[in-house]
Amino acid sequence: MPAPLPEELVDAFGRHIRYLRLSVTDRCDFRCVYCMAEEMTFLPRREVLSLEELERVAAAFVDLGVRKLRLTGGEPLVRRGIVDLARRLGRLPGLDELVLTTNGARLAALAAPLRDAGVRRLNISIDSLQPDRFRALTRTGDLGRVLAGIEAARAAGFDRIRLNTVILRGRNDDEVIDLVTFARDRGLDIAFIEEMPLGHIDEHSRAEAFISSADLRDRLAGHFRLEALGDPAGAAGPARRFRIAGSDSQVGFISPHSNNFCHLCNRVRVTVEGRLLLCLGNEHSLDLRELVRRPQGDPLALHRAIAGAMARKPERHHFSHSDEPEIVRFMSTTGG
Ligand code: SAM
C-alpha cells in the first residue's frame, strides 16, 4: 500500500509550502535588461504544458494544501487562453487566493476580464516613469501602454495592486521618490526588488548596478514617513513592508542580497515546461511534465512526486554580487 498523501506540504526545515508560482509561458513582449538577453530562444510548443496540464498541476498543489497561486511568466498575458485558465483555477476548491504578475502592457484589454475570472490581486512591473528610459530598460516596452494598463486595473476593482520595481544604480535610482509618489497618489502599493543573479546579462555589471534596500529606504526617509508593518509569519512573503503615513499605500523592499529571508520561504515554482523548482536560487528541480503526460497508472503519481520533492527543498540560496550568474536560467524561464 502506498503511503497516504500528506494534507500539507512541509519541507525538511519545517517550512509549510502554501504558495505556488506557476509560469504559464516563457515568452514575453519585453526584454528587460536585467531579466533577459536581447535575443532569446523560447521553448518549442511541445515542451510547454497545455492549459489543461497547467490546471492539473495547479490542482495537485491545491489538493496538497497550497492556498495561494500566482500566475506569472514570461509575460502571462501573452499566453492565449489566460483568462479561461484563470477562471478555472479560481474555482479550485481550497484555493484562497489567485493573483498574477504582469508587465501591464496588455492590461487595458485584460484587466476587467481577469478580475471577473477571479484574480484578486495584481503585481505590475514598472521600472521607470520616463518613456525613453522605460524603453531602454525594457528594450521594447511602451510606457503609455503600461500606464493605460495600470488605470484599467484600478478601474477593474482588484483588492490590491502592487507595482514591482527593480532599481539599478545609475539607470533608474533617481526615480525612487517619483515612483513612490506615483503609487501613493493612485492608492497602489510598490515594492523595490534587488536585482538577482539569474541568467547571463550583458548590458550592465550586476555588481555595479547593485543598490541595497537600506540605501533606498534612506533616500525615501527624507520625503515620506514610513511606518513599519509587522509580518511575523511572513504571510506577505519576503517583502519588508511599510505604510506611507497618511495613505493606504505600502512600500515593500525585497532584498535577497541584503536581508536573506529564506527561513520564511513558503513557496515553490513550476516552470511552463513543468519543472518544479524548489528554490529560486538553487538548481534543484523535478520534472512534473513526464508525470502529467504519462498515459495511465497511479492517478496520484503527480501528488506523490510533489509531496516527496519537499524533502529536497534547499535551506537557502547564496546569492552574491558576482557578475557570473549563479543560476543560468533567466527569471523569465524561472517564473518570476
Ligand atoms: N512579465 C511579468 C512581469 O513583468 O512582471 C512577470 C514575470 S517577471 C520575470 C516578474 C518580476 O521579476 C518582474 O517584476 C521583474 O522585474 C522581476 N525580475 C526579472 N529578472 C529579475 C532579476 N534578475 N532580479 C530581480 N528581479 C527580476
Side-chain angles (χ1 to χ4, degrees), residues 215-292:
D215 193 336
L216 297 182
R217 250 169 66 195
D218 286 347
R219 292 190 195 193
L220 292 175
H223 294 78
F224 307 95
R225 196 149 55 79
L226 298 182
E227 300 166 344
L229 293 167
D231 183 27
R240 284 191 162 180
R241 297 178 304 126
F242 298 79
R243 178 174 297 111
I244 306 173
S247 83
D248 184 39
S249 291
Q250 296 177 12
V251 181
F253 298 93
I254 301 178
S255 325
H257 290 283
S258 58
N259 175 34
N260 183 280
F261 40 75
C262 297
H263 61 291
L264 296 175
C265 187
N266 63 352
R267 66 201 54 199
V268 291
R269 295 171 162 79
V270 173
T271 71
V272 74
E273 329 121 87
R275 251 196 323 143
L276 167 59
L277 299 176
L278 295 156
C279 171
L280 181 61
N282 279 283
E283 299 287 8
H284 300 65
S285 72
L286 176 73
D287 178 15
L288 300 180
R289 185 179 63 195
E290 190 265 325
L291 291 163
V292 175

Side-chain angles (χ1 to χ4, degrees), residues 34-35 72-75 101-103 125 164 166 194-196 331 336:
Y34 48 78
C35 183
T72 181
E75 170 49 41
T101 300
T102 173
N103 65 25
S125 302
N164 274 349
V166 176
E194 290 175 354
E195 185 183 4
M196 298 175 227
M331 188 67 119

Side-chain angles (χ1 to χ4, degrees), residues 300-319:
L300 292 177
L302 179 61
H303 292 68
R304 283 187 219 297
I306 293 169
M310 294 305 129
R312 290 167 45 207
K313 186 170 164 63
E315 186 174 12
R316 56 166 297 175
H317 64 71
H318 293 275
F319 287 151

